[in-house]
Amino acid sequence: MYDFDFFVIGGGSGGVRAARKAAQYGARVGLAESHRVGGTCVIRGCVPKKLFVYAAHYAEDFEGARGYGWTIPEAPQFDWPTLIANKDREIDRLNGLYIKTLNTHNVEIFESHARLKDAHTVILEDREVTAEHILIATGGWPSLPDIPGIGHAITSNEAFYLKEFPKRIAIVGGGYIAVEFAGIFHNLGAEVVQIYRGGQILRGFDDDVRQALATEMRRKGINLMCNMNVESIERDEDCIRLLLTDGSEMEVDQVMFATGRHPRTQGLGLEQAGVELTDKGAVKVDEYNRTSISNIYAVGDVTDRMALTPVAIREGAAVAENLYNGGDMTLSYDNIATAVFSQPSLGTVGLTEAQAREKYKKVDIYKSTFRPMKHTLAGNEERSLMKLVVDGETDRVLGAHMMGPEAGEIIQGIAIAITCGATKKQFDATVAIHPTAAEEFVTMAVKQPDPETEPCD
């Protein structure tokens, strides 16, 4: 009856995983992608950004090497075009691997924009195809505010392809993309100002971690301006001029907005096919990723639930498993670990202190701040923070938060313990690996004073 058993619109991480798994189970699968297979993460997100983070770290590594006896004869020179070219080559390689994987599993790829005609028909640029089941996996896209001169600004999409490195850059936003790019541009040699309308960066993260990162960013030389926003942008031959909400002006070479992302649902024909959207334009789905039309599914950022690549991959795999392998898979969104590749980096899993205090009667907090051993001879004053949030009645660890080198790598292992319901007593019974930063998570013994009983100054 149909050209395909399963047709995927969007070639990002979630769509590719669903297509590959469905094909493995014997389904006839098609996939449409109008740009490049790999999606936001591979092409213009996680992967190139992490490569930029690695590049940025060398500035501190070169300087720190002197304390360990290395002679740096001249000031190291950074070349932006070389980084861009090498990054592009790696992205091309990964794009090729994604295409090879789909071809190996006999997934038919259409390099075309796709939209729905009805619940079973997809309109491509040069033909129409039909499918029994359809998956929407088109991801998200950067949002820009409606202010005068916004056309002069860039987003993270364009930041990966700038022909010239900006000597002065303003980054607008307070989320993980904003703080990551602030660290990247600063360490690569730019004069960076980060402008955020809220009172503190990284809303939704643990308050201690937010404050600690803001302190470190300012100490490193980033001009972090909270409770501030951009009202308008002007450009002349020499610079970009920003008018701020306090009436002051600022001149920069480039301005980048990282003020949120929105689901890419426009132009897909979803309403015409009867697919319901939220008031934010995201696709409504149930716990099995089904939309309001029973044969149409959606995964990843387009659903505006948890915008993380591993989450989209799990969701895509679950759709394929349930449709073509008799599965009954759903995904728990509790205790999903995440990292912010700021400088220093953050890693977090589970509840923040504020969330735990709202949900549990008694909450115990364990916290440690210290200068990493690596930084002592290097003369680097950067400090690390580690924190455990514990249910005071059951002793179960509810959350773990870290700021410091390799925070993401360390929190990944801690996330396993928290997912398994580990208690603080079990953390304490774990023998530490010494000397490491990670050992702090199993050696913190002193509870922080309860805020209700802490003595006043």
Side-chain angles (χ1 to χ4, degrees):
M1 291 180 60
Y2 303 103
D3 299 318
F4 296 96
D5 300 315
F6 190 55
F7 196 91
V8 179
I9 301 177
S13 300
V16 168
R17 178 57 61 90
R20 179 174 67 81
K21 294 289 288 185
Q24 279 182 321
Y25 295 138
R28 296 169 300 139
V29 181
L31 181 146
E33 172 55 58
S34 60
H35 181 47
R36 303 180 74 186
V37 177
T40 295
C41 180
V42 173
I43 307 301
R44 52 188 174 272
C46 323
V47 172
K49 182 182 62 183
K50 190 67 178 291
L51 295 175
F52 280 17
V53 169
Y54 285 141
H57 267 294
Y58 278 100
E60 292 181 357
D61 291 341
F62 285 134
E63 185 62 31
R66 301 178 193 275
Y68 284 91
W70 288 92
T71 298
I72 311 297
E74 297 179 2
Q77 299 296 312
F78 169 70
D79 185 67
W80 175 257
T82 298
L83 174 61
I84 295 297
N86 290 341
K87 178 267 299 180
D88 288 345
R89 184 165 57 250
E90 175 62 8
I91 299 309
D92 289 343
R93 185 184 73 85
L94 294 174
N95 172 241
L97 288 177
Y98 269 68
I99 292 173
K100 181 179 179 181
T101 296
L102 292 173
N103 287 335
T104 300
H105 289 86
N106 297 316
V107 175
E108 187 172 353
I109 303 173
F110 298 88
E111 296 181 5
S112 170
H113 174 73
R115 61 185 176 88
L116 298 179
K117 180 179 181 180
D118 55 45
H120 291 282
T121 307
V122 178
I123 302 175
L124 304 173
E125 292 172 5
D126 60 351
R127 61 184 287 193
E128 293 184 6
V129 297
T130 59
E132 182 177 9
H133 295 100
I134 295 171
L135 176 67
I136 308 299
T138 47
W141 201 253
S143 300
L144 288 170
D146 184 15
I147 61 173
I150 192 62
H152 299 306
I154 65 170
T155 69
S156 58
N157 286 356
E158 295 78 36
F160 292 117
Y161 298 96
L162 290 176
K163 293 183 179 181
E164 295 183 3
F165 184 78
K167 294 181 181 179
R168 302 169 299 173
I169 185 170
I171 298 175
V172 185
Y176 70 96
I177 295 176
V179 299
E180 287 172 339
F181 272 99
I184 288 168
F185 281 111
H186 171 73
N187 270 27
L188 293 181
E191 181 182 322
V192 177
V193 56
Q194 183 178 342
I195 302 167
Y196 178 48
R197 66 181 182 179
Q200 186 57 279
I201 55 174
L202 293 178
R203 180 170 56 89
F205 284 75
D206 186 84
D207 288 337
D208 281 331
V209 172
R210 299 169 71 194
Q211 179 59 49
L213 180 61
T215 299
E216 288 297 328
M217 290 174 68
R218 290 189 172 106
R219 189 189 59 77
K220 289 173 182 288
I222 295 172
N223 182 7
L224 178 57
M225 302 174 66
C226 294
N227 296 309
M228 188 70 68
N229 211 344
V230 176
E231 288 196 340
S232 65
I233 306 171
E234 295 180 355
R235 184 172 199 132
D236 58 31
E237 294 182 359
D238 299 323
C239 69
I240 294 175
R241 188 172 293 104
L242 309 179
L243 175 63
L244 305 183
T245 48
D246 67 351
S248 64
E249 291 187 352
M250 177 182 298
E251 292 184 354
V252 294
D253 302 310
Q254 193 63 260
V255 56
M256 171 183 157
F257 275 73
T259 49
R261 297 173 65 85
H262 60 269
R264 296 186 72 181
T265 52
Q266 293 184 340
L268 296 179
L270 297 175
E271 297 92 334
Q272 181 176 334
V275 176
E276 291 185 16
L277 305 179
T278 69
D279 56 359
K280 294 183 179 180
V283 180
K284 286 185 178 181
V285 292
D286 65 11
E287 61 181 331
Y288 291 97
N289 299 291
R290 284 185 300 236
T291 71
S292 55
I293 303 300
S294 61
N295 71 294
I296 299 178
Y297 295 75
V299 299
D301 295 3
V302 77
T303 65
D304 197 28
R305 288 177 292 181
M306 188 168 284
L308 295 171
T309 295
V311 171
I313 290 173
R314 288 290 188 93
E315 291 170 347
V319 170
E321 179 74 22
N322 295 342
L323 283 175
Y324 302 110
N325 199 39
D328 188 37
M329 289 181 60
T330 59
L331 178 63
S332 170
Y333 296 89
D334 296 330
N335 296 326
I336 293 178
T338 188
V340 180
F341 298 109
S342 49
Q343 298 183 41
S345 62
L346 307 182
T348 182
V349 60
L351 300 181
T352 67
E353 179 178 348
Q355 291 169 338
R357 292 195 183 282
E358 288 182 0
K359 190 174 181 179
Y360 293 88
K361 293 181 179 179
K362 187 177 187 304
V363 175
D364 294 334
I365 301 297
Y366 297 82
K367 187 165 56 176
S368 176
T369 60
F370 57 94
R371 187 162 65 140
M373 183 178 181
K374 179 182 178 181
H375 292 340
T376 54
L377 296 189
N380 189 335
E381 296 300 321
E382 178 184 294
R383 297 185 66 80
S384 290
L385 165 70
M386 293 185 179
K387 181 175 181 178
L388 289 176
V389 180
V390 179
D391 182 347
E393 294 184 338
T394 68
D395 198 44
R396 183 166 63 92
V397 179
L398 304 173
H401 311 278
M402 175 181 175
M403 180 191 75
E406 305 298 342
E409 304 288 348
I410 293 172
I411 285 293
Q412 180 67 85
I414 300 296
I416 299 172
I418 291 181
T419 300
C420 292
T423 63
K424 181 63 168 63
K425 183 177 181 180
Q426 290 170 323
F427 270 60
D428 295 341
T430 302
V431 178
I433 302 174
H434 182 75
T436 65
E439 67 179 299
E440 290 291 325
F441 276 121
V442 298
T443 59
M444 287 188 282
V446 180
K447 286 190 292 187
Q448 297 292 300
D450 190 276
E452 282 77 24
T453 60
E454 187 174 3
C456 298
D457 294 335

